[in-house]
């Protein structure tokens, strides 16, 4: 782009008396004066044009080629700090003493060569910054301007600030229910202590064998990394922060916080899963901040959220599944229906991004996820159902495959929880959720000949009578949403949750190891049993225990605690090894075959839900908290929060 065309675009950032203001206004003013009809004859116009062109060439030649002028250019147009000469070493001695044998001419020659090299480097840097700035979105440019203004204000006040740079100062108030009472029943208290001991076993072994890496291989006793996180490290640490806090493992929480402060780095050149990084890292950091009030967690959460924003740079604003967080280049999974985005991935950003806007004061996060709603509401839904695939370029559905398990699950969860988290003011989210539940009941929920209620999958109008372990979360979701259902449906939704919980318990009870398979079927004469080898594994998943926890809280039926304790005993017998906890390759075998991975969500979800199942209801009460899909608790944004929080000026 010619340099003159940059002036109108960036001139607003320049203050009075800087290059951006007068140059831009002068060029515009000259153009308007010359435009008067009949003001000059053709020859005079031509001469004036030549003089004006020579003047512009001279000005911009000076900008690019006079020493240090590119610093001025980049500082005015592109908001980057000018390079400063390196400070002299202590004592004020010159950094490079004159070399023997060199006179003034040699020094001048060396200085001239150095000046030319510096001018060339500054020129190239200014051009790079120009290119980077032109590629930014308008909201990113506005954010940079706002941050620069805040930095200037901070410098004017002597550099004092209580919050992270670029974030509004915030008076922390711990939400209700961050800590709870001890269980009154001694047996329940003893069981809860056992679950805390399981957490300590998992954490201590991660610390011993895989500290700072993403996950642990508990059999081989070494670190394990998934390509879902790119080069970002520490998934287990961030995922476990809130579990450590609510279990009052104070020393472990302190060492985790120190690692985050010193070592958690998002400046990596790597491709990450937007969904997984959001639910584990952003969700984990937000939750840790809301529980503890430690500013480092707020700062890191917002920093990472900003790095995820380029994922939304698609024609529709439906984000890419994968993003290189250094280059900002995104793409989708190659197997996903002709380059489509996945419903459960782009639909599972809402809770975290609304809280990012709340904590940062930057509305762009909430705007991005609200735009997803707008796109979805414009589309026709086959039979009222949401297919799993949506093309981010065309804005049209891909394959008409509908699942409440993998690829679809947490989209529905977040519709309900967005309404609850808004203190029940998000009427759009509420309507979308209950309309979807009605369609699910009509087209997907079936009852087996043995009386088990299950949720099938829908493929182009045909049902596949299979239910995944992931789908078992829906029992808790239906029960949680019962209170907002039409009055004649409240009891029905609770009953539906109870029936799903029973079916998922049966899928556990019908295995040899009393832990559930990845998927189970209701065809060929079997019910709630995995019939394919690639569906028989268990990777420490939490969804069944999650539903037990919700059903206990909402009904206080003691069977849910008993079913949860059965799962504890099975985990201890079959998954516990010297180096932590491992998943199983086949839950129908007589002997364990461990997969040698301690998933980060085992600490974040499975153990947290078990601990809450055996806790009193005052710990993270539902009227004040919602859980993201990785079990990270986020506070309800009550209507009077604005009056309770004070933003210091």
């Amino acid at each position: 782009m010619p340099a003159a065309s940059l002036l109108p675009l960036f001139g607003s950032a320049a203050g009075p008396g800087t290059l951006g203001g007068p140059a831009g206004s002068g060029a515009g003013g000259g153009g308007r004066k010359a435009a008067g009809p009949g003001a000059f004859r053709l020859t005079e116009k031509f001469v004036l044009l030549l003089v004006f062109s020579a003047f512009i060439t001279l000005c911009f030649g000076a900008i690019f080629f006079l020493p240090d002028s590119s610093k001025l250019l980049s500082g005015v147009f592109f908001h980057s700090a000018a390079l400063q000469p390196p400070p002299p070493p202590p004592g004020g001695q010159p950094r490079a003493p004159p070399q023997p044998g060199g006179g003034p001419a040699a020094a001048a020659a060396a200085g001239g060569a150095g000046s030319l090299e510096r001018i060339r480097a500054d020129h190239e840097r200014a051009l790079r910054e120009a290119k980077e700035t032109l590629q930014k979105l308008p909201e990113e440019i506005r954010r940079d301007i706002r941050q620069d203004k805040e930095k200037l204000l901070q410098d004017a006040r002597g550099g004092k600030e209580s919050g992270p740079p670029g974030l509004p100062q915030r008076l922390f108030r711990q939400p209700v229910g961050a800590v709870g009472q001890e269980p009154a029943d001694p047996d329940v208290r003893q069981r809860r202590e056992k679950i805390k001991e399981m957490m300590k076993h998992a954490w201590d072994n991660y610390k011993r064998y895989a500290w700072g890496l993403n996950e642990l291989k508990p059999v081989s006793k070494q670190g394990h990394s998934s390509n879902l996180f790119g080069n970002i490290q520490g998934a287990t640490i961030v995922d476990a922060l809130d579990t450590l806090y609510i279990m009052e493992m104070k020393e472990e929480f302190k060492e985790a916080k120190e690692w985050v402060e010193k070592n958690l780095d998002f400046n990596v050149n790597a491709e990450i899963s937007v969904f997984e990084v959001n639910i584990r890292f952003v969700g984990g950091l937000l939750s840790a901040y809301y529980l503890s009030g430690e500013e480092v967690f707020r700062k890191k959460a917002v920093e990472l959220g900003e790095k995820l924003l380029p994922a939304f740079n698609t024609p529709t604003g439906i984000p890419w599944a994968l993003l290189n967080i250094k280059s900002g280049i995104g793409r989708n999974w190659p197997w996903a229906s002709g380059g489509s985005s996945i419903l459960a991935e782009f639909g599972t950003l809402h809770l975290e991004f609304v809280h990012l806007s709340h904590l940062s004061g930057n509305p762009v996060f909430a705007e991005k996820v609200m735009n997803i709603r707008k796109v979805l509401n414009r589309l026709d839904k086959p039979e009222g159902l949401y297919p799993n695939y949506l093309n981010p370029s065309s804005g049209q559905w891909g394959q008409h495959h509908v699942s409440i398990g993998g690829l679809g699950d947490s989209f529905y969860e977040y519709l309900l929880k967005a309404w609850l988290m808004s203190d029940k003011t998000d009427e759009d989210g509420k309507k979308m959720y209950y309309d979807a539940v009605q369609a699910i009941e009509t087209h997907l929920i079936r009852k087996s000949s043995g009386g088990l209620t299950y949720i099938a999958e829908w493929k182009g109008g045909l049902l596949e009578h299979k239910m995944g372990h992931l789908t078992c979360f829906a029992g808790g979701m239906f029960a949680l949403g019962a209170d907002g259902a039409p009055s004649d449906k409240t009891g029905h939704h609770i009953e539906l949750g109870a029936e799903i919980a029973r079916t998922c318990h049966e899928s556990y009870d019908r295995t040899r190891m009393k832990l559930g398979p990845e998927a189970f079927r209701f065809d060929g004469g079997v019910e709630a049993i995995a019939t394919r080898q690639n569906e028989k594994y268990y990777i420490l998943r939490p969804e069944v225990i999650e539903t037990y926890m919700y059903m206990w809280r909402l009904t206080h039926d003691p069977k849910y605690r008993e079913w949860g304790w059965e799962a504890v005993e099975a985990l201890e017998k079959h998954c516990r090894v010297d180096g932590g906890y491992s998943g199983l390759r086949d839950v129908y075998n007589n002997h364990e075959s461990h997969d040698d991975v301690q998933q980060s969500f085992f600490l974040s979800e499975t153990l947290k839900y078990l601990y809450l199942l055996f806790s009193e209801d005052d710990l993270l009460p539902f009227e004040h908290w919602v859980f993201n899909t990785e079990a990270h608790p986020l506070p309800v944004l009550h209507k009077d929060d604005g009056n309770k929080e004070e933003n210091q000026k």
Side-chain angles (χ1 to χ4, degrees):
M1 178 179 287
S5 65
L6 292 174
L7 290 171
L9 182 59
F10 299 106
S12 62
T18 64
L19 187 61
S25 59
R32 283 191 296 274
K33 287 179 183 177
F40 297 101
R41 291 191 297 272
L42 180 62
T43 307
E44 292 171 334
K45 289 180 181 178
F46 182 69
V47 171
L48 283 172
L49 180 61
L50 284 177
V51 171
F52 187 69
S53 299
F55 176 72
I56 292 297
T57 303
L58 179 63
C59 289
F60 282 92
I63 287 172
F64 281 107
F65 295 111
L66 285 178
D68 296 329
S69 60
S70 61
K71 298 174 188 175
L72 175 65
L73 178 70
S74 63
V76 173
F77 291 160
F78 309 118
H79 315 290
S80 65
L83 292 175
Q84 299 295 327
Q93 298 299 316
R95 186 166 293 277
Q99 297 299 315
S115 295
L116 287 173
E117 196 62 36
R118 187 175 71 252
I119 291 167
R120 185 179 296 108
D122 288 345
H123 185 196
E124 291 174 354
R125 180 172 58 81
L127 291 175
R128 282 197 307 272
E129 290 175 346
K131 183 178 179 182
E132 291 171 1
T133 302
L134 289 172
Q135 290 175 339
K136 288 185 177 181
L137 294 174
E139 59 262 28
E140 293 177 301
I141 295 171
R142 287 193 292 269
R143 182 194 68 216
D144 291 345
I145 294 170
R146 185 176 64 253
Q147 289 177 345
D148 285 347
K149 287 179 179 177
E150 289 167 352
K151 187 176 186 304
L152 286 171
L153 287 172
Q154 176 192 335
D155 292 342
R157 293 170 181 155
K160 295 180 180 180
E161 62 168 2
S162 64
L167 293 181
Q169 296 180 22
R170 185 176 190 275
L171 181 64
F172 174 73
R173 295 179 184 274
Q174 191 177 57
V176 174
V179 293
Q181 301 296 316
E182 284 281 318
D185 187 318
D187 291 335
V188 173
R189 189 162 61 245
Q190 184 178 8
R191 288 182 171 187
R192 193 174 81 151
E193 279 301 310
K194 171 59 184 174
I195 295 158
K196 182 174 178 178
E197 185 276 329
M198 294 169 69
M199 178 67 181
K200 185 165 178 56
H201 180 68
W203 177 262
D204 286 349
N205 280 286
Y206 166 77
K207 182 182 174 184
R208 185 175 298 117
Y209 301 116
W211 183 248
L213 301 177
N214 279 321
E215 290 170 319
L216 166 68
K217 295 172 77 71
V219 177
S220 52
K221 297 180 179 178
Q222 59 186 355
H224 170 73
S225 284
S226 164
N227 60 5
L228 295 172
F229 314 119
N231 293 337
I232 300 175
Q233 296 295 325
T236 292
I237 295 174
V238 177
D239 239 358
L241 281 164
D242 49 18
T243 307
L244 294 171
Y245 189 93
I246 67 169
M247 290 186 180
E248 299 184 56
M249 298 173 67
K250 295 179 181 178
E251 284 304 310
E252 292 85 350
F253 181 83
K254 180 182 176 183
E255 64 193 5
K257 177 221 165 189
E258 289 173 354
W259 185 92
V260 168
E261 205 161 26
K262 296 175 183 176
N263 302 106
L264 184 59
D265 182 16
F266 305 130
N267 296 311
V268 296
N269 184 11
E271 191 175 64
I272 53 93
S273 163
V274 174
F275 164 76
E276 293 288 352
V277 166
N278 175 65
I279 64 172
R280 301 196 201 202
F281 283 89
V282 177
L285 291 165
L286 288 172
S287 177
Y289 169 72
Y290 280 118
L291 289 167
S292 71
E294 295 286 353
E295 281 287 350
V296 63
F297 299 132
R298 179 168 74 122
K299 177 183 174 183
K300 290 286 186 182
V302 175
E303 177 191 349
L304 180 54
E306 289 176 347
K307 288 186 177 294
L308 297 181
L309 287 175
F312 294 85
N313 295 347
T314 66
T316 59
I318 297 295
W320 300 113
L322 303 170
L323 178 72
N324 184 303
I325 57 175
K326 181 177 178 66
S327 68
I329 296 173
R331 67 183 179 99
N332 277 333
W333 299 104
W335 48 264
S337 186
S340 291
S341 299
I342 296 169
L343 183 68
E345 295 194 338
F346 68 76
T348 309
L349 304 168
H350 195 102
L351 304 186
E352 297 84 359
F353 273 52
V354 167
H355 270 286
L356 286 174
S357 282
H358 180 68
L359 291 182
S360 70
N362 186 351
V364 67
F365 300 106
E367 289 166 0
K368 295 294 186 186
V369 291
M370 291 310 297
N371 177 66
I372 293 173
R373 289 255 192 100
K374 293 177 184 176
V375 173
L376 293 174
N377 282 331
R378 287 197 297 263
L379 289 169
D380 290 330
K381 287 83 178 172
E383 306 294 341
L385 299 167
Y386 289 84
N388 292 340
Y389 302 108
L390 180 63
N391 189 295
S393 297
S394 67
Q396 298 301 313
W397 299 118
Q399 291 174 319
H400 282 194
H401 176 194
V402 178
S403 169
I404 313 305
L407 308 182
D409 48 7
S410 46
F411 164 73
Y412 304 96
E413 174 189 0
Y414 271 39
L415 291 178
L416 171 63
K417 290 180 177 178
W419 174 61
L420 295 173
M421 194 178 80
S422 72
D423 206 9
K424 301 183 179 179
T425 61
D426 182 357
E427 291 297 325
D428 188 42
K430 177 183 180 182
K431 182 179 187 307
M432 291 174 73
Y433 171 73
Y434 289 106
D435 287 351
V437 169
Q438 183 59 52
I440 289 165
E441 277 208 77
T442 302
H443 299 287
L444 303 182
I445 294 181
R446 296 290 182 266
K447 184 163 284 195
S448 72
S449 57
L452 295 178
T453 299
Y454 63 97
I455 308 175
E457 298 189 4
W458 190 82
K459 295 184 176 180
L462 299 176
L463 287 184
E464 183 178 12
H465 297 272
K466 176 186 80 170
M467 186 168 171
H469 193 291
L470 289 166
T471 317
C472 286
F473 90 96
M477 179 182 74
F478 292 142
L480 182 64
D483 187 53
S487 56
D488 60 330
K489 294 275 186 145
T490 299
H492 171 67
H493 280 227
I494 288 281
E495 181 60 29
L496 187 56
E499 290 180 8
I500 296 298
R502 174 173 169 252
T503 297
C504 293
H505 175 257
E506 285 298 313
S507 77
Y508 273 48
D509 200 47
R510 297 180 186 193
T511 70
R512 290 188 180 275
M513 297 187 182
K514 305 303 178 185
L515 292 166
E518 181 69 4
F520 44 93
R521 294 182 178 266
F522 296 86
D523 55 20
V526 302
E527 293 189 5
I529 293 175
T531 58
R532 302 182 184 182
Q533 191 58 42
N534 64 355
E535 297 172 347
K536 295 182 178 181
Y537 61 90
Y538 172 71
I539 57 171
L540 307 174
R541 286 205 187 275
E543 290 78 19
V544 175
I545 293 164
E546 175 184 357
T547 279
Y548 295 164
M549 188 276 292
Y550 278 107
M551 293 306 302
W552 162 255
R553 282 274 183 103
L554 296 166
T555 69
H556 281 193
D557 186 329
K559 73 182 176 189
Y560 297 114
R561 278 183 165 172
E562 290 307 312
W563 290 353
W565 190 248
E566 289 172 9
V568 168
E569 293 177 323
L571 286 166
E572 288 293 278
K573 182 176 181 181
H574 300 294
C575 297
R576 184 167 180 148
V577 295
D578 288 344
Y581 289 86
S582 171
L584 301 165
R585 291 193 173 93
D586 189 340
V587 292
Y588 297 93
N589 267 350
N590 290 322
H591 304 289
E592 297 94 354
S593 175
H594 294 113
D595 67 9
D596 197 18
V597 180
Q598 179 176 281
Q599 306 279 350
S600 76
F601 57 68
F602 179 67
L603 290 79
S604 170
E605 299 187 74
T606 309
L607 293 176
K608 184 187 287 117
Y609 285 135
L610 281 169
Y611 189 80
L612 291 172
L613 177 61
F614 291 96
S615 295
E616 298 297 317
D617 294 355
D618 64 343
L619 179 58
L620 303 177
F622 292 166
E623 60 267 30
H624 293 287
W625 298 86
V626 297
F627 295 89
N628 88 336
T629 199
E630 190 78 3
H632 294 307
L634 300 171
V636 171
L637 297 175
H638 291 293
K639 291 187 282 285
D640 58 351
D641 275 354
N643 299 323
K644 289 182 179 178
E645 291 183 2
E646 298 176 14
N647 288 330
Q648 299 172 351
K649 299 295 183 183

